[in-house]
Amino acid sequence: MGSITNAGDNSKVDVLVVGAGPAGMMAVTWFARCGIKAKIVDKRGTKIYNGQADGLQCRTLEILDSFEFADRAWKEGNHMLEICLWNPGRDGVIRRSDRIPDTIPGISRFQQLVLHQGRIERFFLDSLKDHSDIRVERGVLPQSLTFDESKAEDDDAYPIKVTLKHLTEDEINPPQSNATKCGAAPSDGLYRSNMAPDDTEELLNKTANDKVGTQETIQAKYMIGCDGAHSWTRKQLGYTLDGEQTDYIWGVLDIIPITDFPDIRQRCAIHSANSGSVMVIPRENKLVRLYIQMTTTEKGGEPVDRTNITPAMILECANRTLAPYKLSYEYCDWWTAYQIGQRVGSNFSKNERIFLAGDAVHTHSPKAGQGMNVSMQDTYNLCWKISAVLNGTADRRILKTYQSERRRIAQDLIAFDHKFSRLFSGRPAKDMMDEAGISMEEFKNAFEKGNLFASGVAVDYGASLIVAKDGSSIDQGDGTDVGVINSKRAVSKQQLATNVKLGMRMPSFKVLNQSDARPWHFQEILRSTGQWRLVVFAGDVSDKGQMSRVQKLGETLAANDSFISRFTPASKPINSVIEILTIHSAPRASTELHDFHDIFHPYSKRDGWDYWKIYADDISYHEGHGKAYENYGVDKKKGCAVILRPDQYVSWVGELEDVQDMDRFFSGFMKM
Amino acid sequence: MGSITNAGDNSKVDVLVVGAGPAGMMAVTWFARCGIKAKIVDKRGTKIYNGQADGLQCRTLEILDSFEFADRAWKEGNHMLEICLWNPGRDGVIRRSDRIPDTIPGISRFQQLVLHQGRIERFFLDSLKDHSDIRVERGVLPQSLTFDESKAEDDDAYPIKVTLKHLTEDEINPPQSNATKCGAAPSDGLYRSNMAPDDTEELLNKTANDKVGTQETIQAKYMIGCDGAHSWTRKQLGYTLDGEQTDYIWGVLDIIPITDFPDIRQRCAIHSANSGSVMVIPRENKLVRLYIQMTTTEKGGEPVDRTNITPAMILECANRTLAPYKLSYEYCDWWTAYQIGQRVGSNFSKNERIFLAGDAVHTHSPKAGQGMNVSMQDTYNLCWKISAVLNGTADRRILKTYQSERRRIAQDLIAFDHKFSRLFSGRPAKDMMDEAGISMEEFKNAFEKGNLFASGVAVDYGASLIVAKDGSSIDQGDGTDVGVINSKRAVSKQQLATNVKLGMRMPSFKVLNQSDARPWHFQEILRSTGQWRLVVFAGDVSDKGQMSRVQKLGETLAANDSFISRFTPASKPINSVIEILTIHSAPRASTELHDFHDIFHPYSKRDGWDYWKIYADDISYHEGHGKAYENYGVDKKKGCAVILRPDQYVSWVGELEDVQDMDRFFSGFMKM
């Protein structure tokens, strides 16, 4: 065992990703789309099949849609529309006290849904296969890591060396089946930390792995540790997770419920008078997940030995909370018991060469449905940046914004989860005078506010060299300095697009394709391709004066010395680095594609003109009027210009004439 | 060559389907969902990959959605929203004279789209694999057919015997590639009849067919010939296609166009003054299909030899019509030239044992985008009926309705196509006095009317034992008698649901799931499972009197002697033959699932109560108010009851108390 294979050229990769959970899969999905040579390994023998994280928030669905597979999640998942709050009345009996929408209406074109993590991994795997040669290598354990810090700033260097061991079948944990009848669940349904991916894996696919039992050494330019709460990568770097380690003990049941409780297919937060709380999360395939509070004190008190917990005990707890309603089941898909704290990583990267993402840098309660989402959003933020650096279009300095942007989010998440967990686990106050109890009004407010936070659309990245926003990058992020010196700083005019908020993701409204009248949500046009976008709100092009402003912009952008020409390699199509998308506000039928300068619908020898770049803010035949200008807060007559990052976050807003400022913005980090 | 294999039990099948184009695939898709043992063979070596039919009409998309894969077509296809009509002005130069919506707003939740037939076949193949063991056997040619007419009415008999030959590679036509640069197209781009599937096939997949070169004999209870315009099955039966054999000659180009013509991404009908007509059909993957008129006289005149036609000639014709605009291309995906007439089959079945469907019984011009649609709708109509007979729930008499319903549709189609083709091919009238010319106003009217017809949603099946409608089944169908004697005839009360039209497909509006508030288009609930549906419009159940009517209906339906109990095998779930779906009009929050009798949300030992049977006509959080009662034309207070066929066509409408009439309806054809 353990011979070193000579992997030849395959020993060098642009990026090595350790861990093929949602964060790792998102990472290589970006690399697949950006043409980066990436390798992804996972110690598990198979992808996971049940249990685990399951909530998909609005922003996550928007991101999956930018890779063109949100529709699969939308179709298979259980949509969550309504939250019901149940509290004890004066008689101590629980009753429904509120119904509130689960997703705040209007914040996204998607609503929160629930779908098992294994399905999300399946969509990623299929998408990888469609777009690249990257495949997940399973049963692979990293053994050692060396990093040559002196070469960190050398673009051409491979400063990272990792030895990988291809496990034999015996070395991979045996499979477990947690599908079981009530009371007959296997005792190994209990895990060290909640949702640990290791614990529900299926048999290793035994075919076609001739590397089994061998070791190989990989040289990489970059590395990302997406290897979970017990991250091996983090340990090699000597970084810590800071925060509290404990919380109440919770049981989790994934069952097909048999119950007279009327809201079992709703998301419910149930506070009983004295028997703890239950959260109900309806899922796909008739399943319902129940989070059931097993202890009523946070720390200390009677120590509960989690190893003694059984599904029958969890069910009994649930029935105490749900009384007078009754709950039982014939089919249990998965169960566990967990105790978890809120912790966040001290560092998200080593020299912007080795990065940590997902559970490796933040742990928190699963009840807010954030785990999978924040993890995927970490690498969604990171990997277009790494790709741009590797592809030679951006300077390495943009990589610092990963920690600045995402560590701040992790800190916010942990603070939110800490507060929410305690409100949810506490005993309801009997009356105004009961200070030890939790105010149900306060809980409801926290729940509603939490929903906006949890949706992911409220994320607001701070000022940096890629977000031309006022103020200090240090204050607006996690403390990292990612700013631009003032003399080189591009200046945004937020007032020109009041609802296209700098630092936030571009909202989506329907616009019509100029050439074929098809309505598109504008986000659907903003695919994750690695391209930056210059969105030209061309205004009322049926007005001659306005049209001449637009044509002048076109001529400037098309010139040989424009930032678009300068930052696009001569061998590549003119829109390959920065894509220009136009939305005008004139009636669609009042203008024609060929009225616009060619730069707005570039010509190619094989495919003719591009019919998918110019859109109108007009009424559609079947799907109403998107009212994009009104909703984006842009003046219909004179329009404006917007720069979007490859991840759809807003970098800059200005006038159609502010080409010098656009140039200043891109020149701040782009390379010729 | 030609040894007879002993196939054992595999020699007996419930249904043999010959031909794996859209009609054949739709047939076996039904069989897969209904648990029928079916075999499907095709003489081609592979599925098709380019060219061929491509228009998907609204009703077809509704049907694909009932099998849960319309979303794939919706995502991949090119949506057609607007039609532009171009006609010569007084100066003889073409200009845009009209813009009209391609799909009439409001007639369906889908709009027409264009997607290559090969992709549709792919969706069918994937769906077959997900739901059954049925696989298409390719390179299989039927050799002989014998039919024992004396056993036609014996439910247990296998009166059909077919000998099949598994072709060797040499016997299957060699592959052709039609992807070519302008002017360099292979001369075999010319086909005997338009869109013949044989002509664009790829190489036979050489792996894993140990039957190659052998023969086998199949015994079948039923057989369906979906084997195209030159149907072998039809020839064995000695049936003819009646109608005209010729038409103008048309050229077809599938190209990525390079043109200054502004509407190249719209569906366009272009009449030039003297140079014929062009139809533009924008497609997926930047392609555009152009139908180009090559002759200006219908018959006689200078005979054009189609074998001399080249893509360059077709392009030249197109440029004559499109002048002063210019058209060229670098990439041509496929091309052909065709001449076709309108013909319809004399008989659609032999003793309701051997059926013909699709091109085997109707041929017509492809320009109306009907070919694939009407063909799939043929077997969509037929195969739930065959399944019901085979599964023992329905009497063989229902099979006669196939010819009555579908031959009538074919006749209507042929009449429409005949008129439309001539209007499209004719020279535009110069003025009111120009009687030899075509009135462009008349053409526009025909086009708009044609759009409703072509959508498929206007289909209105006549009175029969499965449509309880007034009037004569002979007059309302193709002349076949499929009526019920008056004393046994169920009587509908159309006025109770004025927009749920007897004989037409159930329209779709959004309703909310009572248990989780999710909005669904009601058609999404009407999956193609083979189940009949009793739709209970329960009215305002917050009114006690109304609720007691509903509960009384529930008690009657749940009784042991009810038609539901009688027609459902004791071993099967109570909703397996007739599913009850409820839509009430009370505010959703005013009632609970458990307020309703169990029969409306049946209990199962493993899965508890069924949360997916009761819906509310109420406002949703994110998708507005479906206003289902208003749109269906049903009284909000008192509701009504509706019976739907497994293919979503409306059979009967009555009061909640008309249980005897429901019973009479089902007793007319169901078997215990």
Side-chain angles (χ1 to χ4, degrees):
Chain A
M1 201 191 298
S3 69
I4 307 284
T5 58
N6 182 353
D9 272 354
N10 285 327
S11 67
K12 278 191 175 174
V13 297
D14 289 332
V15 192
L16 174 66
V17 178
V18 179
M25 295 304 288
M26 178 63 82
V28 288
T29 297
W30 255 132
F31 296 138
R33 304 300 172 104
C34 295
I36 300 301
K37 187 175 174 189
K39 182 182 180 85
I40 179 167
V41 299
D42 196 287
K43 64 178 172 177
R44 295 177 294 165
T46 68
K47 78 175 195 61
I48 62 164
Y49 291 93
N50 62 1
Q52 314 302 338
D54 53 9
L56 284 181
Q57 305 290 356
C58 304
R59 179 57 190 152
T60 306
L61 287 163
E62 292 179 0
I63 291 169
L64 299 189
D65 192 59
S66 78
F67 291 114
E68 296 180 73
F69 56 84
D71 55 314
R72 295 184 68 182
W74 190 252
K75 184 176 180 176
E76 290 188 24
N78 185 60
H79 295 208
M80 295 218 291
L81 281 310
E82 197 173 79
I83 296 170
C84 293
L85 303 182
W86 286 70
N87 296 313
R90 297 202 171 176
D91 54 1
V93 178
I94 60 166
R95 84 271 179 266
R96 186 194 294 124
S97 61
D98 277 295
R99 290 182 196 261
I100 51 180
D102 189 86
T103 300
I104 299 162
I107 60 169
S108 172
R109 65 205 160 98
F110 293 105
Q111 290 94 49
Q112 189 184 175
L113 56 82
V114 174
L115 182 63
H116 172 247
Q117 179 179 330
R119 292 304 301 159
I120 315 298
E121 293 183 14
R122 164 57 50 213
F123 306 155
F124 275 115
L125 290 169
D126 290 348
S127 140
L128 268 188
K129 213 165 69 177
D130 288 349
H131 289 89
S132 72
D133 296 329
I134 302 170
R135 297 290 178 274
V136 178
E137 297 175 46
R138 301 193 188 275
V140 176
L141 200 65
Q143 301 283 87
S144 70
L145 163 64
T146 60
F147 173 57
D148 184 349
E149 207 170 330
S150 69
K151 292 185 181 153
E153 297 307 317
D154 174 359
D155 272 346
D156 298 323
Y158 290 79
I160 299 158
K161 200 177 279 185
V162 178
T163 307
L164 299 172
K165 182 176 178 186
H166 293 266
L167 302 177
T168 62
E169 212 183 320
D170 292 343
E171 292 168 313
I172 299 172
N173 290 331
Q176 304 171 341
S177 166
N178 293 292
T180 170
K181 281 194 68 173
C182 180
S187 61
D188 55 6
L190 185 67
Y191 307 111
R192 277 162 304 170
S193 83
N194 178 54
M195 310 288 129
D198 311 4
D199 297 321
T200 46
E201 63 202 23
E202 284 213 343
L203 270 170
L204 173 66
N205 184 342
K206 287 167 202 157
T207 59
N209 186 357
D210 54 10
K211 290 185 180 172
V212 161
T214 68
Q215 289 199 358
E216 61 176 334
T217 301
I218 298 295
Q219 289 178 279
K221 289 183 170 173
Y222 292 89
M223 175 177 177
I224 312 175
C226 305
D227 42 358
H230 302 284
S231 171
W232 175 88
T233 311
R234 188 186 68 226
K235 278 173 199 152
Q236 305 313 301
L237 299 177
Y239 294 160
T240 55
L241 286 186
D242 305 326
E244 301 185 30
Q245 299 278 0
T246 57
D247 187 11
Y248 303 82
I249 293 176
W250 290 81
V252 185
L253 291 177
D254 276 358
I255 56 173
I256 297 181
I258 302 175
T259 184
D260 55 354
F261 180 69
D263 289 345
I264 196 71
R265 296 294 315 167
Q266 308 270 37
R267 187 168 160 206
C268 292
I270 306 162
H271 277 95
S272 69
N274 295 301
S275 307
S277 299
V278 165
M279 183 172 283
V280 179
I281 308 278
R283 307 180 44 139
E284 71 280 15
N285 298 331
K286 300 183 182 175
L287 289 169
V288 171
R289 170 166 294 183
L290 296 150
Y291 289 103
I292 298 145
Q293 192 178 352
M294 304 293 290
T295 56
T296 52
T297 51
E298 188 173 346
K299 297 174 206 170
E302 287 292 306
V304 177
D305 183 357
R306 283 193 294 133
T307 57
N308 289 333
I309 292 175
T310 65
M313 286 169 66
I314 303 174
L315 183 66
E316 199 188 315
C317 279
N319 271 298
R320 272 202 296 272
T321 307
L322 285 167
Y325 299 103
K326 296 208 177 340
L327 173 73
S328 65
Y329 62 85
E330 283 279 312
Y331 177 79
C332 175
D333 192 59
W334 185 76
W335 70 274
T336 191
Y338 72 92
Q339 185 171 23
I340 204 163
Q342 290 85 20
R343 297 187 295 160
V344 61
S346 52
N347 288 286
F348 277 35
S349 97
K350 174 78 177 167
N351 293 69
E352 290 80 58
R353 281 285 185 170
I354 303 174
F355 296 91
L356 298 171
D359 290 352
V361 276
H362 39 72
T363 70
H364 50 87
S365 148
K367 290 186 294 295
Q370 284 292 285
M372 189 161 54
N373 296 274
V374 176
S375 295
M376 286 193 275
Q377 285 165 33
D378 281 347
T379 46
Y380 187 65
N381 178 290
L382 173 62
C383 295
W384 68 264
K385 297 172 184 172
I386 295 179
S387 299
V389 172
L390 285 168
N391 282 332
T393 58
D395 191 275
R396 265 181 48 76
R397 286 178 299 127
I398 68 168
L399 299 177
K400 263 197 196 314
T401 61
Y402 170 64
Q403 166 146 344
S404 168
E405 292 176 343
R406 296 309 300 176
R407 189 158 170 267
R408 173 61 177 261
I409 296 293
Q411 290 166 335
D412 292 348
L413 167 63
I414 264 53
F416 160 71
D417 187 52
H418 188 271
K419 181 177 176 190
F420 181 75
S421 270
R422 273 146 192 82
L423 283 174
F424 189 50
S425 306
R427 174 182 61 77
K430 293 197 175 64
D431 51 40
M432 294 279 288
M433 305 300 291
D434 178 4
E435 286 183 12
I438 303 291
S439 151
M440 287 297 102
E441 199 55 34
E442 189 186 349
F443 176 72
K444 183 188 168 191
N445 291 341
F447 211 120
E448 285 186 316
K449 223 161 129 187
N451 265 359
L452 177 59
F453 178 82
S455 73
V457 302
V459 163
D460 185 1
Y461 292 142
S464 73
L465 73 172
I466 52 172
V467 174
K469 199 179 190 176
D470 284 345
S472 152
S473 73
I474 295 170
D475 296 346
Q476 293 175 17
D478 85 318
T480 310
D481 183 1
V482 290
V484 185
I485 53 167
N486 275 334
S487 63
K488 291 195 174 177
R489 199 161 171 167
V491 179
S492 288
K493 299 173 179 168
Q494 178 71 75
Q495 71 277 12
L496 297 179
T498 52
N499 207 15
V500 180
K501 298 262 171 63
L502 292 159
M504 298 182 74
R505 71 91 167 86
M506 181 76 171
S508 190
F509 305 101
K510 282 189 182 166
V511 292
L512 304 189
N513 182 301
Q514 173 65 35
S515 302
D516 68 10
R518 178 167 174 184
W520 291 92
H521 251 290
F522 189 59
Q523 275 185 357
E524 294 180 89
I525 315 298
L526 305 175
R527 296 286 181 221
S528 289
T529 58
Q531 289 161 297
W532 286 76
R533 265 93 183 200
L534 174 63
V535 181
V536 177
F537 283 92
D540 180 5
V541 295
S542 68
D543 175 275
K544 277 191 182 172
Q546 179 66 18
M547 190 50 157
S548 78
R549 290 182 69 204
V550 175
Q551 297 301 66
K552 183 144 179 267
L553 172 61
E555 284 159 26
T556 316
L557 295 174
N560 281 337
D561 62 347
S562 80
F563 63 90
I564 293 198
S565 305
R566 275 167 26 233
F567 293 125
T568 306
S571 62
K572 294 267 181 75
I574 192 65
N575 57 10
S576 59
V577 176
I578 303 167
E579 181 185 43
I580 305 173
L581 294 170
T582 301
I583 306 173
H584 69 78
S585 66
R588 182 182 145 267
S590 72
T591 187
E592 309 276 2
L593 187 79
H594 290 286
D595 293 344
F596 290 81
H597 191 286
D598 266 20
I599 193 84
F600 298 114
H601 57 113
Y603 179 85
S604 109
K605 193 170 173 303
R606 177 181 181 270
D607 294 347
W609 282 278
D610 192 324
Y611 299 100
W612 295 273
K613 296 284 185 269
I614 300 184
Y615 298 84
D617 180 20
D618 199 352
I619 191 163
S620 68
Y621 286 112
H622 307 280
E623 300 174 34
H625 196 311
K627 298 193 173 164
Y629 271 66
E630 191 181 320
N631 283 313
Y632 283 125
V634 174
D635 186 281
K636 279 192 190 178
K637 285 286 171 202
K638 64 194 200 78
C640 71
V642 170
I643 294 172
L644 300 179
R645 306 179 355 172
D647 56 0
Q648 302 105 29
Y649 286 81
V650 180
S651 289
W652 177 90
V653 176
E655 301 274 9
L656 300 184
E657 285 78 11
D658 292 338
V659 180
Q660 276 201 322
D661 214 47
M662 301 176 199
D663 197 324
R664 188 175 299 122
F665 172 76
F666 284 113
S667 300
F669 62 91
M670 277 208 173
K671 290 167 82 168
M672 278 183 249
Chain B
M1 198 191 299
S3 68
I4 307 286
T5 59
N6 182 352
D9 272 355
N10 285 328
S11 66
K12 277 191 176 175
V13 296
D14 289 333
V15 192
L16 174 66
V17 178
V18 178
M25 295 304 289
M26 177 63 81
V28 288
T29 297
W30 256 131
F31 296 137
R33 304 301 172 102
C34 294
I36 301 300
K37 187 176 175 188
K39 183 184 181 82
I40 179 167
V41 299
D42 196 288
K43 64 178 173 176
R44 294 177 295 165
T46 68
K47 80 175 195 58
I48 62 164
Y49 291 93
N50 62 0
Q52 314 303 336
D54 53 8
L56 284 180
Q57 306 289 357
C58 305
R59 178 58 189 150
T60 305
L61 287 162
E62 292 179 1
I63 291 170
L64 299 188
D65 192 58
S66 77
F67 291 113
E68 296 180 74
F69 56 85
D71 55 314
R72 295 184 68 182
W74 190 252
K75 185 175 181 178
E76 291 189 23
N78 185 60
H79 295 208
M80 296 219 290
L81 281 310
E82 195 173 80
I83 297 171
C84 292
L85 304 182
W86 285 71
N87 296 313
R90 295 206 172 170
D91 55 0
V93 177
I94 59 166
R95 85 269 179 265
R96 187 194 294 123
S97 59
D98 276 294
R99 290 182 195 261
I100 52 179
D102 189 85
T103 300
I104 299 163
I107 60 170
S108 172
R109 66 204 159 97
F110 293 104
Q111 289 95 47
Q112 189 184 175
L113 57 82
V114 174
L115 183 63
H116 171 246
Q117 178 178 331
R119 293 303 302 159
I120 315 298
E121 293 182 15
R122 164 58 49 213
F123 307 154
F124 274 116
L125 290 169
D126 290 349
S127 141
L128 268 188
K129 213 165 72 178
D130 288 349
H131 289 89
S132 72
D133 297 328
I134 302 171
R135 297 293 177 272
V136 178
E137 298 175 45
R138 301 194 188 273
V140 176
L141 201 65
Q143 301 284 86
S144 68
L145 163 64
T146 60
F147 173 56
D148 184 349
E149 207 170 331
S150 70
K151 291 185 180 153
E153 297 307 317
D154 175 358
D155 271 347
D156 299 323
Y158 291 79
I160 299 158
K161 199 177 280 185
V162 178
T163 306
L164 300 172
K165 182 176 178 185
H166 293 266
L167 301 177
T168 63
E169 211 184 319
D170 292 343
E171 291 167 315
I172 299 171
N173 290 331
Q176 304 172 342
S177 166
N178 294 292
T180 170
K181 282 195 65 174
C182 179
S187 61
D188 54 7
L190 186 67
Y191 308 110
R192 276 161 305 169
S193 82
N194 179 54
M195 309 289 129
D198 310 5
D199 297 321
T200 46
E201 65 201 24
E202 285 214 341
L203 268 170
L204 173 67
N205 184 339
K206 286 166 201 156
T207 60
N209 186 355
D210 53 11
K211 289 184 180 172
V212 162
T214 67
Q215 289 199 357
E216 64 176 331
T217 301
I218 298 295
Q219 289 178 280
K221 288 182 171 173
Y222 292 89
M223 175 177 176
I224 312 176
C226 306
D227 43 357
H230 302 285
S231 171
W232 175 88
T233 311
R234 188 186 68 225
K235 278 173 197 149
Q236 305 312 302
L237 300 177
Y239 294 159
T240 56
L241 286 185
D242 306 326
E244 300 185 31
Q245 298 278 358
T246 58
D247 187 10
Y248 303 82
I249 292 176
W250 289 82
V252 184
L253 290 177
D254 276 358
I255 57 174
I256 297 181
I258 301 174
T259 184
D260 56 354
F261 180 69
D263 288 345
I264 198 70
R265 295 296 314 169
Q266 306 270 36
R267 187 167 158 208
C268 293
I270 305 161
H271 277 95
S272 69
N274 295 301
S275 307
S277 299
V278 166
M279 182 173 281
V280 178
I281 308 279
R283 307 180 46 140
E284 72 278 16
N285 298 332
K286 302 183 183 175
L287 289 169
V288 171
R289 171 166 293 182
L290 296 150
Y291 288 105
I292 299 144
Q293 192 177 352
M294 304 292 290
T295 56
T296 51
T297 51
E298 188 172 345
K299 297 173 205 172
E302 286 293 305
V304 177
D305 182 359
R306 282 193 295 132
T307 56
N308 288 334
I309 292 175
T310 66
M313 286 169 65
I314 302 174
L315 183 66
E316 198 188 315
C317 280
N319 271 300
R320 271 203 297 270
T321 307
L322 284 166
Y325 300 104
K326 295 209 177 341
L327 174 73
S328 66
Y329 62 85
E330 282 278 314
Y331 178 78
C332 175
D333 193 59
W334 185 77
W335 69 276
T336 191
Y338 71 91
Q339 184 171 25
I340 205 164
Q342 291 85 21
R343 296 187 295 158
V344 60
S346 53
N347 287 285
F348 277 36
S349 98
K350 174 79 178 167
N351 293 71
E352 290 80 58
R353 282 285 184 171
I354 304 174
F355 296 90
L356 298 172
D359 291 351
V361 276
H362 40 72
T363 70
H364 50 88
S365 148
K367 289 185 295 295
Q370 285 290 286
M372 190 160 55
N373 295 274
V374 176
S375 295
M376 287 194 275
Q377 286 165 32
D378 282 348
T379 46
Y380 187 65
N381 178 289
L382 173 63
C383 295
W384 67 265
K385 297 171 184 173
I386 294 178
S387 299
V389 171
L390 285 167
N391 282 333
T393 57
D395 190 276
R396 267 181 47 75
R397 286 177 300 125
I398 68 168
L399 300 177
K400 265 198 195 316
T401 61
Y402 170 63
Q403 165 146 345
S404 167
E405 292 175 345
R406 296 308 299 177
R407 188 156 171 268
R408 172 60 177 263
I409 296 294
Q411 289 166 335
D412 292 349
L413 167 63
I414 265 54
F416 160 71
D417 186 53
H418 188 272
K419 183 178 174 190
F420 180 75
S421 268
R422 274 147 192 81
L423 282 173
F424 190 50
S425 307
R427 174 181 61 75
K430 293 195 175 67
D431 51 41
M432 293 279 288
M433 304 301 291
D434 178 6
E435 287 183 13
I438 304 289
S439 151
M440 286 299 100
E441 200 53 35
E442 188 186 348
F443 175 71
K444 183 187 170 192
N445 291 341
F447 211 121
E448 286 187 316
K449 222 160 129 187
N451 264 0
L452 178 59
F453 177 82
S455 74
V457 302
V459 163
D460 185 0
Y461 292 142
S464 73
L465 74 171
I466 52 174
V467 176
K469 198 180 193 178
D470 284 345
S472 153
S473 73
I474 296 171
D475 296 347
Q476 292 174 16
D478 84 317
T480 309
D481 183 1
V482 290
V484 185
I485 54 169
N486 276 333
S487 63
K488 292 197 172 174
R489 197 160 172 169
V491 178
S492 287
K493 297 171 180 170
Q494 179 70 73
Q495 70 277 12
L496 297 178
T498 51
N499 207 14
V500 179
K501 298 262 171 64
L502 293 160
M504 297 182 77
R505 70 90 167 86
M506 182 75 171
S508 190
F509 305 101
K510 282 189 182 166
V511 292
L512 303 188
N513 182 301
Q514 173 66 35
S515 302
D516 67 10
R518 177 166 176 185
W520 291 94
H521 251 289
F522 190 58
Q523 274 185 358
E524 294 180 89
I525 316 297
L526 306 175
R527 296 285 183 223
S528 289
T529 59
Q531 289 161 297
W532 285 76
R533 266 94 183 200
L534 175 62
V535 182
V536 177
F537 284 92
D540 180 5
V541 295
S542 67
D543 176 274
K544 277 192 181 172
Q546 178 66 17
M547 191 52 157
S548 77
R549 289 181 70 202
V550 174
Q551 298 301 65
K552 183 141 180 271
L553 171 62
E555 285 159 25
T556 315
L557 294 175
N560 281 335
D561 63 347
S562 80
F563 63 89
I564 293 197
S565 306
R566 279 171 18 237
F567 293 125
T568 307
S571 61
K572 294 269 182 72
I574 192 65
N575 58 11
S576 58
V577 176
I578 303 167
E579 181 184 44
I580 304 173
L581 294 169
T582 301
I583 306 173
H584 69 78
S585 66
R588 181 181 146 268
S590 72
T591 187
E592 309 276 4
L593 187 79
H594 290 286
D595 292 343
F596 290 81
H597 191 287
D598 266 20
I599 192 84
F600 297 115
H601 56 115
Y603 179 85
S604 109
K605 192 169 173 304
R606 176 183 181 271
D607 294 345
W609 283 278
D610 192 324
Y611 299 99
W612 295 274
K613 297 283 185 269
I614 300 184
Y615 298 83
D617 180 19
D618 200 351
I619 192 162
S620 68
Y621 285 112
H622 308 280
E623 300 174 33
H625 197 310
K627 299 196 170 164
Y629 271 66
E630 191 181 320
N631 283 314
Y632 283 127
V634 174
D635 186 283
K636 279 191 189 176
K637 285 285 169 203
K638 64 195 201 74
C640 71
V642 170
I643 295 172
L644 300 179
R645 309 182 348 176
D647 56 1
Q648 302 106 27
Y649 286 80
V650 180
S651 290
W652 176 90
V653 176
E655 301 275 9
L656 300 183
E657 284 78 10
D658 291 338
V659 180
Q660 277 202 320
D661 213 49
M662 302 176 198
D663 197 324
R664 188 175 298 122
F665 173 77
F666 284 114
S667 301
F669 61 90
M670 276 207 172
K671 289 167 83 168
M672 279 182 248

